[in-house]
Amino acid sequence: MRVTFTANGKPVEADDVWEGESLLYVLRERVGLPGSKNACEQGECGSCTVYLDGTPVCSCLVAAGQVQDREVRTVEGLSEENGELGLVQQAFIDAGAVQCGFCTPGLLVQTDALLDRAPQPSDTDIREALSGNLCRCTGYEKIMDAVRLASARKCQKVGTAE
């Protein structure tokens, strides 16, 4: 079957998609958006998190056919229009929160979603928001630092714009 949707603001068509094929597979292998990672394929690690119509989802659990005529935004779509890193992406780099990088795409999407609904989240809010994203490298303190940094920069940016 053919699946047509929007990925990061651009129309996408994927041909010869089989019924059980995941959105993750289509994004990585057919559309050329490899940012979302394939780790557990059971929705438990969050490495494949993308936005589907503005809501974070595990793309490994979404059948490709379910995205027909819908909007998908991947970690690649978090960058600025000029190609520079987005606010959350830069904060993760600046805070040293990118370790092996496998879990990072999912963490970036979840952090972006958190800061959209709660620009100044508490540590409890951050832990809750990222609870579905597993990092197997080390602890989460650098990741927490990155979210706090992104929050501060986002609030500063909003304050400057007003």
Side-chain angles (χ1 to χ4, degrees):
M1 74 175 145
R2 171 179 282 176
V3 179
T4 305
F5 59 100
T6 303
N8 301 327
K10 297 177 183 168
V12 171
E13 283 185 5
D15 289 322
D16 301 322
V17 176
W18 57 279
E19 290 181 22
E21 203 164 288
S22 71
L23 172 59
L24 175 62
Y25 184 86
V26 169
L27 290 171
R28 289 181 54 81
E29 306 300 330
R30 296 182 184 272
V31 179
L33 294 170
S36 305
K37 300 301 181 214
N38 184 2
C40 72
E41 293 188 70
Q42 298 175 358
E44 294 184 11
C45 74
S47 297
C48 65
T49 304
V50 299
Y51 283 108
L52 178 58
D53 292 337
T55 302
V57 298
C58 290
S59 60
C60 70
L61 297 180
V62 176
Q66 291 177 292
V67 302
Q68 180 67 37
D69 299 324
R70 297 176 77 182
E71 173 81 27
V72 175
R73 187 171 171 215
T74 69
V75 67
E76 290 94 338
L78 298 182
S79 63
E80 301 293 332
E81 288 184 23
N82 62 7
E84 291 185 17
L85 294 176
L87 185 142
V88 173
Q89 294 167 317
Q90 189 63 55
F92 268 64
I93 290 172
D94 293 346
V98 178
Q99 298 167 107
C100 82
F102 214 80
C103 66
T104 306
L107 288 165
L108 291 170
V109 172
Q110 285 292 4
T111 298
D112 186 72
L114 169 64
L115 297 181
D116 275 352
R117 65 177 185 275
Q120 293 181 302
S122 67
D123 283 358
T124 301
D125 295 336
I126 297 169
R127 285 188 185 94
E128 176 66 28
L130 302 182
S131 63
N133 295 78
L134 302 178
C135 173
R136 295 182 176 100
C137 292
T138 60
Y140 288 79
E141 202 50 47
K142 296 279 188 191
I143 294 167
M144 294 288 291
D145 291 345
V147 178
R148 292 182 201 112
L149 180 59
S151 169
R153 287 178 176 170
K154 183 170 186 160
C155 290
Q156 183 180 25
K157 186 175 178 181
V158 170
T160 304
E162 293 177 341

